[in-house]
Amino acid sequence: MKNLDSIITKEFAWHYRVIPKEENEEEITFFIDEEKEIKTVVNDLKIILGKKIKVVPRKSFEIEKLLVLKYRTTEEVAKKIKASVLEEVINEAISFSSSDIHFEIYEDYTRVRYRIDGVLVEKKRIKKDLYAEIVNIVKIQSNLDITEKRLPQDGRAKIDGYDIRVSVLPTQFGEKIVMRILGKNTDNLQLSSIGFEEKELKKYIESVNKSNGIILISGPTGSGKTTTLYATLKMLNNTEKNIMTIEDPIEYVLDGVNQIQLNEEIGLTFSSALRSFLRQDPDIIMLGEIRDKETSEMAVRASLTGHLVLSTIHTNSALGTISRLIDMGIPSFLLSETINATLAQRLLRKLCNECKSKENFSKEMLPSTYKVQRKIEYHYEPVGCEKCHYTGYKGRRAIYELVVIDNDIAREMNKKEQDYSKIIKEKGIKTLPEKAFDLLEKGETSLKEIYSILINAN
């Protein structure tokens, strides 16, 4: 029986980027690279082979793999297939809206995991003989030392228009790579579409439209703080304002905003950058994070001298931000004068509507620390299907706890012992646990997803 692959030569296959699929007496069908000029290739094949030609377009990386598999050639081509595997992984991760890609090597296998909706999901395994070359390709694209395999390295790469932050770490069986996919498109960054309730959004916009003061956004890593900051900057950005940021890393590029990448190795820290910013005639300053007393003091000083300062901080609640700054050594009277608003937020995975399961609910399922006032009979559990990559969840939404610092809260801040519970209740401010329970009640998320938030409820 005739070998189908022998219809054309190795050189022919690589030149036209085609692979025979099937043949009969009158016609030959080929897989073809979708990026080739298909009409021209078909005409050439008709003349060369003397038969009718049918083609089935395939993505470039698929053709690349088939060419190497069926028409093995030089070492240079072998490297191309390894590069195409990397390109395939990155494109797939982006199509899943992944935030991170993990390449991991173990004794018997290597795997690729994507962080989808905040959770790692294994999507594929790579042959071990490809892995070392993929590591080298990533290092070269990130300007890292390919000969250094004993120490961690960090870099950045630009692949298909996406900024990617790269971390390489030596492990027992080889080097592990984590690639953080940074934002490319800011078109969808709108405050109106990231999860605020209507009344909250109005209060938040009023707070950030003041000419000076501090806006602080709190939450753990991965809670969406940076997205809220960028959406805020995008709203504030116009030709009349000088906006300056110091970030680690720069996750979105905002046209018209002066963005600086943190570099602690050369002394470019949040506090030193802020000190320099004040000599650059800024209107609005964004600090990626307030980590220490020096940075918090500089932020307060900047707000007192007529600047609007936006930043993030790691606390569990909006009012916990105030306590944290007081613990850092910032006098409460300064905070009451300078903070416009504090915002705590979380990102919660939404249940997949295609497969979620309705279950009976009882309050005994809740943490003992959470005293629920409402009674619900049912809740929904994740199941998993093809539509949600078998995670049971599809997409995420943010919940917010917004506290605008008005006269009542400012007076409480200046007391020796603060108790905000009565004020919060009187003003109808919904806390994160209350917002999370609302989503559970509506069937949008699961008890497992909000459990840790409910535990922290007072």
Side-chain angles (χ1 to χ4, degrees):
M1 185 176 175
K2 184 179 179 182
N3 180 3
L4 193 61
D5 297 336
S6 66
I7 292 173
I8 56 176
T9 66
K10 175 176 65 179
E11 291 74 20
F12 186 102
W14 279 97
H15 176 74
Y16 287 104
R17 295 183 67 78
V18 293
I19 297 98
K21 180 178 182 288
E22 56 191 20
E23 179 187 22
N24 57 42
E25 290 183 1
E26 297 182 353
E27 184 181 69
I28 306 175
T29 303
F30 289 89
F31 290 120
I32 185 170
D33 189 333
E34 65 182 9
E35 294 185 8
K36 291 291 284 186
E37 182 57 55
I38 292 176
K39 188 176 180 181
T40 301
V41 173
V42 168
N43 288 336
D44 287 356
L45 292 175
K46 282 181 182 177
I47 295 169
I48 295 167
L49 299 174
K51 281 191 175 185
K52 291 181 181 178
I53 302 298
K54 181 180 176 182
V55 291
V56 179
R58 288 286 184 268
K59 292 187 179 297
S60 292
F61 67 80
E62 293 175 340
I63 294 295
E64 199 85 41
K65 286 194 290 187
L66 287 171
L67 286 170
V68 170
L69 180 66
K70 296 177 178 293
Y71 300 98
R72 296 186 184 277
T73 181
T74 62
E75 183 182 345
E76 181 180 351
V77 172
K79 287 186 177 180
K80 285 179 70 177
I81 183 60
K82 291 162 188 172
S84 74
V85 171
L86 176 63
E87 183 181 343
E88 175 190 355
V89 167
I90 292 171
N91 287 336
E92 186 176 53
I94 290 168
S95 73
F96 290 145
S97 300
S98 306
S99 59
D100 301 86
I101 305 168
H102 290 238
F103 292 88
E104 299 165 321
I105 183 166
Y106 300 95
E107 185 174 11
D108 300 319
Y109 67 96
T110 63
R111 70 178 178 183
V112 179
R113 294 192 291 170
Y114 304 149
R115 190 171 291 281
I116 302 172
D117 294 335
V119 176
L120 285 170
V121 179
E122 182 175 334
K123 296 303 292 184
K124 61 176 76 241
R125 296 200 173 186
I126 297 175
K127 291 181 179 178
K128 289 193 77 172
D129 59 352
L130 291 178
Y131 190 80
E133 191 63 40
I134 288 174
V135 172
N136 285 338
I137 292 169
V138 171
K139 284 184 172 181
I140 290 167
Q141 291 180 331
S142 309
N143 295 315
L144 300 178
D145 184 357
I146 63 171
T147 64
E148 179 55 76
K149 300 182 184 299
R150 301 166 302 168
L151 296 172
Q153 296 188 72
D154 296 312
R156 293 176 76 99
K158 189 108 174 172
I159 300 174
D160 291 338
Y162 284 85
D163 286 319
I164 297 178
R165 185 174 64 176
V166 176
S167 173
V168 181
L169 183 72
T171 67
Q172 183 178 2
F173 298 106
E175 292 176 285
K176 170 184 165 67
I177 299 173
V178 175
M179 305 177 77
R180 164 65 60 88
I181 303 170
L182 304 176
K184 177 182 179 183
N185 193 335
T186 60
D187 292 345
N188 296 325
L189 275 179
Q190 306 289 341
L191 282 175
S192 58
S193 62
I194 61 175
F196 278 107
E197 294 179 0
E198 190 175 342
K199 289 181 179 179
E200 280 178 338
L201 179 59
K202 183 178 180 182
K203 289 180 179 179
Y204 181 72
I205 289 176
E206 288 173 354
S207 298
V208 300
N209 273 320
K210 293 182 178 180
S211 59
N212 65 294
I214 301 174
I215 305 291
L216 290 172
I217 302 174
S218 67
T221 301
S223 60
K225 302 186 298 293
T226 304
T227 299
T228 303
L229 273 181
Y230 277 110
T232 305
L233 287 178
K234 187 179 177 185
M235 183 199 72
L236 294 171
N237 186 21
N238 61 52
T239 56
E240 298 174 354
K241 292 174 182 173
N242 178 19
I243 303 177
M244 307 195 70
T245 76
I246 175 72
E247 307 170 55
D248 183 29
I250 297 172
E251 295 198 23
Y252 294 89
V253 176
L254 293 173
D255 188 40
V257 175
N258 304 286
Q259 296 173 267
I260 293 92
Q261 170 67 47
L262 186 81
N263 190 341
E264 292 183 332
E265 291 182 3
I266 62 171
L268 184 56
T269 63
F270 286 123
S271 56
S272 66
L274 183 50
R275 197 173 290 111
S276 298
F277 283 1
L278 295 177
R279 296 190 287 270
Q280 286 281 320
D281 187 30
D283 297 292
I284 299 168
I285 295 169
M286 191 269 267
L287 299 172
E289 184 183 347
I290 289 180
R291 298 176 178 171
D292 50 41
K293 183 181 179 181
E294 184 181 9
T295 308
S296 57
E297 286 177 339
M298 290 292 295
V300 168
R301 191 181 309 164
S303 68
L304 287 171
T305 53
H307 306 92
L308 182 67
V309 180
L310 296 90
S311 190
T312 69
I313 191 167
H314 287 280
T315 60
N316 287 326
S317 65
L319 289 168
T321 297
I322 297 168
S323 302
R324 175 76 187 278
L325 290 170
I326 291 173
D327 289 343
M328 283 184 181
I330 308 300
S332 58
F333 73 89
L334 280 180
L335 296 176
S336 64
E337 288 182 26
T338 55
I339 297 179
N340 295 349
T342 68
L343 181 73
Q345 68 178 81
R346 297 290 187 278
L347 280 177
L348 296 176
R349 289 185 294 169
K350 296 189 292 184
L351 286 164
C352 174
N353 288 323
E354 300 292 328
C355 63
K356 66 183 182 181
S357 172
K358 189 176 183 180
E359 306 289 345
N360 290 324
F361 182 83
S362 67
K363 63 180 181 180
E364 284 73 27
M365 295 177 177
L366 297 168
S368 58
T369 54
Y370 185 69
K371 307 303 179 187
V372 63
Q373 303 299 319
R374 291 168 287 174
K375 182 180 179 181
I376 60 174
E377 295 181 1
Y378 301 99
H379 71 125
Y380 289 85
E381 288 287 336
V383 177
C385 65
E386 188 178 351
K387 293 274 181 78
C388 61
H389 311 295
Y390 299 97
T391 63
Y393 299 90
K394 192 171 183 181
R396 291 189 289 178
R397 65 156 294 170
I399 57 171
Y400 296 94
E401 177 182 303
L402 174 66
V403 175
V404 176
I405 309 303
D406 58 15
N407 291 334
D408 296 330
I409 294 177
R411 277 194 295 270
E412 193 66 33
M413 288 170 66
N414 289 317
K415 292 180 180 178
K416 190 172 183 180
E417 298 289 334
Q418 297 94 14
D419 180 8
Y420 300 103
S421 55
K422 185 179 178 182
I423 296 175
I424 293 295
K425 191 173 182 180
E426 287 175 351
K427 293 183 180 296
I429 298 171
K430 271 196 169 183
T431 64
L432 287 175
E434 289 172 323
K435 292 281 191 71
F437 197 85
D438 284 346
L439 294 186
L440 178 72
E441 190 174 28
K442 292 175 184 175
E444 291 186 31
T445 193
S446 68
L447 178 59
K448 178 182 176 182
E449 187 70 4
I450 69 170
Y451 200 88
S452 62
I453 299 176
L454 300 184
I455 286 177
N456 291 323
N458 293 323

